[in-house]
Amino acid sequence: MTRSVYVTGIGRGDGRQVVELGVMELLTRQVGKVGVFRPLAHDGPDPLLDLLRSRYRLSQPQGTMTGLGYDEAAALQAESGTDELISRLVDRYHEIARGFDAVLVLGTDYADTNLPAELSLNARLANELGAAVLPVVAGLDQSADSVVAEVRNAHHAFTSLGCEVLATIANRVRDGHAAEAARWLGRHLPEPVFVLPEEPALAAPTVQQVVDELGARVLLGDPAGLSRDCRDFVFGGAMLPTFLPALTEGCMVITPGDRADLIIGSLAAHSAGAPPIAGVLLTLDQYPGEETMALAERLAPGTPVLAVPTGSFPTAAGLFSLEGKLNAASPRKVEVALGLFETHVDTRQLTERLSVVRTHRVTPMMFEHELIERSREARRHVVLPEGTEERVLRAAEVLLRRNICDLTLLGEEQAVRKRAAELGVNLRLLGPEEAEWGGGSLAACARIVDPATSPLRERFAELYAKLRAHRGVTHELAYDVVADVSYFGTLMVREGLVDGMVSGAAHSTAATIRPAFEIIKTKPDASIVSSVFFMCLADKVLVYGDCAVNPDPDAEQLADIAIQSAATAAQFGVEPRVAMLSYSTGTSGSGADVDKVRQATELVRTRRPDLLVEGPIQYDAAVEPSVAATKLPGSDVAGQATVLVFPDLNTGNNTYKAVQRSAGAIAVGPVLQGLRKPVNDLSRGALVQDIVNTVAITAIQAQGRNPSA
């Protein structure tokens, strides 16, 4: 039977989209097919439904996501009664629910709905749908007594109407006493109570929202700049020395267009990262000259400069009513919302209460969710040597927002801060003077370390010279080498100052793994370093090795790759059934290439008799049961292999790319294996999500290691 969760409120202003998004995230971790149903909808676009369709790659037709419009529902209720309205909505729900493992139901929003007794309507509808209820109450500007009263009222209202209440969430709570009071109440109710604080980054409108609301003209700025949050509005009227100290991080500067001094001064402050601003809004239909605009563009590339014909007062009136919105065009806000939900809600407890039976299928999204969830269980610290690279900074923002790990970014501090400011990326950055911060805080943090000026440089030079003395490396040469970000980051891993390293977005594979070979070295039970890709297909995850490191491994090395790949698969929840691939299956072929695979297979069986392994075997016989039944009947691996070991790099690299492009698979990796401590390489074409996944994998690898190893 389909399990449904009904997220609803008791009034307006509860910001429940954060909760709806968080619950959707939980459901998609557990089951492969999740549907969405909004029983009653307003006319026009629905930003939240668009967001859910986009983010969770829903195949559900948009027309099936809603029941009736509010006006149609009000007319039906007035004419035929509530029973007829409920019956119509229940029929509509069941039309779509049978195709899904779970359904997220979005309750009414209490905004101009023209429906009497709206709370009772939500409660009855939830009961008729067989859905558990998750009430959300607004805590904005509420005292402790008010928050407690609202939580009690919500709990009583829904339970008295026969609803199964999963938990109650107080959202947008600003007062610390109110938050503690709500938690206290949760210990005295049958269901848990979770408290989400007010998050300024969610309430802040984006620059694009300002453009849309005011009909502003965009004079300068790129899409990334338009996605920045406006966390404050600062009106410019004073002279520049008085005005600059009034600037705040993420503010929108509003000034008449003829104040070139304030325009250039604001952008110069942004470029220096002190503080980074959201943009500049020019009023009174005034425009700076060409020279001023050219200088503005050079000072802060991508930073929006907007213009409106109105004066300061009507402009301010339009701005102060704006609030941030979750939609498909604001992916950064989505990460903020999920980070907030996952930090303050016991997701494990809520998942258990959802009682959704986890599917045996593993979709790409479920695999990615699992990575993030596991990395948060015991948060680790990862160094990213490419601290000024755009994709790395954007990934770092996601990693911190989702509390996946603590980070160290390598690079000159001002350069890193300036680049983050230019991109509008908000990071919890600590300077070098704060380098010895405690990593056990609730929120993940990042720090900047400059290898050229760090006090660690001398210590690392001594260590590297000692490690490479047999190669004639002197202290003077080592002092120069360790200033390289790849070497510096690798030495941080070796010395236990961080738990792992991810690099390669802007560096070659050799630049990433050569320092690891020299400094970290292989594990005692590994003869070589190899790699795997996690290939996320539509309904399963396969492990491919080695597709990135070893050009032509011999039989001994191939056996080592197979054993390492099986261990990596098991570490990430993939039951290893190893296929040693070749162009022939079983005893049907001969020759040096086949003999190498046959010998490697026997070595694996000797070293690891507990592993299920088959080889030589062709790819189709390894993964397709019908082919396996013909070519290798009775095999425990054929037709159901999960770990596929390729005979050489040429075959492996081309196969993973062919499957990735032709089958639409998500390739996560390469993940290096065989090192004493985790260092992972990125493709230079890696997307932001690829970097996030690789860092999460690195953090999980570090969780399974002895820090002193």
Side-chain angles (χ1 to χ4, degrees), residues 183-384:
R183 293 189 190 96
W184 173 86
L185 180 60
R187 294 192 288 270
H188 295 79
L189 289 177
E191 301 83 28
V193 175
F194 303 116
V195 181
L196 274 59
E198 171 73 344
E199 171 55 69
L202 287 176
T206 63
V207 177
Q208 184 64 58
Q209 276 185 261
V210 172
V211 172
D212 296 339
E213 178 70 17
L214 302 181
R217 180 182 173 190
V218 180
L219 305 180
L220 294 176
D222 58 21
L226 294 173
S227 71
R228 295 179 190 174
D229 295 329
C230 300
R231 287 183 270 170
D232 194 8
F233 297 107
V234 176
F235 290 82
M239 298 304 291
L240 186 61
T242 306
F243 172 72
L244 285 177
L247 294 177
T248 58
E249 186 171 342
C251 71
M252 171 70 78
V253 173
I254 302 165
T255 180
D258 60 359
R259 289 296 304 272
D261 58 332
L262 300 186
I263 298 168
I264 296 302
S266 300
L267 294 172
H270 171 87
S271 181
I277 64 173
V280 179
L281 176 60
L282 309 179
T283 62
L284 297 174
D285 216 16
Q286 298 286 320
Y287 299 90
E290 291 183 7
E291 292 182 357
T292 300
M293 292 300 292
L295 178 58
E297 189 169 17
R298 289 197 300 272
L299 272 174
T303 299
V305 177
L306 317 176
V308 293
T310 54
S312 296
F313 184 78
T315 301
L319 291 174
F320 289 142
S321 62
L322 274 179
E323 272 209 351
K325 296 178 181 178
L326 289 176
N327 55 50
S330 57
R332 291 175 55 221
K333 282 193 184 297
V334 171
E335 298 299 341
V336 173
L338 288 173
L340 182 72
F341 183 86
E342 292 163 347
T343 299
H344 297 281
V345 172
D346 185 337
T347 54
R348 188 179 297 278
Q349 182 185 20
L350 187 57
T351 299
E352 291 173 356
R353 292 184 62 80
L354 286 172
S355 301
V356 177
V357 178
R358 183 166 186 145
T359 180
H360 293 295
R361 296 171 64 242
V362 180
T363 67
M365 185 164 294
M366 291 170 69
F367 184 72
E368 290 178 352
H369 289 331
E370 184 70 17
L371 291 180
I372 291 173
E373 187 72 14
R374 287 186 58 191
S375 63
R376 275 201 300 258
E377 289 177 356
R379 202 171 72 221
R380 291 296 185 256
H381 187 163
V382 177
V383 60
L384 304 177

Side-chain angles (χ1 to χ4, degrees), residues 657-669:
K657 288 180 178 177
V659 173
Q660 180 185 29
R661 300 301 178 186
S662 301
I666 295 176
V668 180

Side-chain angles (χ1 to χ4, degrees), residues 617-675:
I617 186 171
Q618 291 162 290
Y619 190 100
D620 58 349
V623 300
E624 176 52 51
S626 62
V627 177
T630 301
K631 294 190 174 183
L632 274 179
S635 169
D636 292 328
V637 173
Q640 51 185 337
T642 57
V643 178
L644 296 110
V645 180
F646 294 91
D648 53 59
L649 186 61
N650 181 52
T651 308
N653 192 268
N654 279 293
T655 302
Y656 107 76
K657 288 180 178 177
V659 173
Q660 180 185 29
R661 300 301 178 186
S662 301
I666 295 176
V668 180
V671 177
L672 298 184
Q673 50 192 14
L675 290 167

Side-chain angles (χ1 to χ4, degrees), residues 80 86 117 176 191 256 261 269 367 461 518-519 532 587 611 680 692 706:
S80 304
I86 294 292
E191 301 83 28
D261 58 332
F367 184 72
E518 295 178 1
I519 296 166
V532 296
T587 59
L611 277 181
N680 280 311
V692 171
N706 182 346

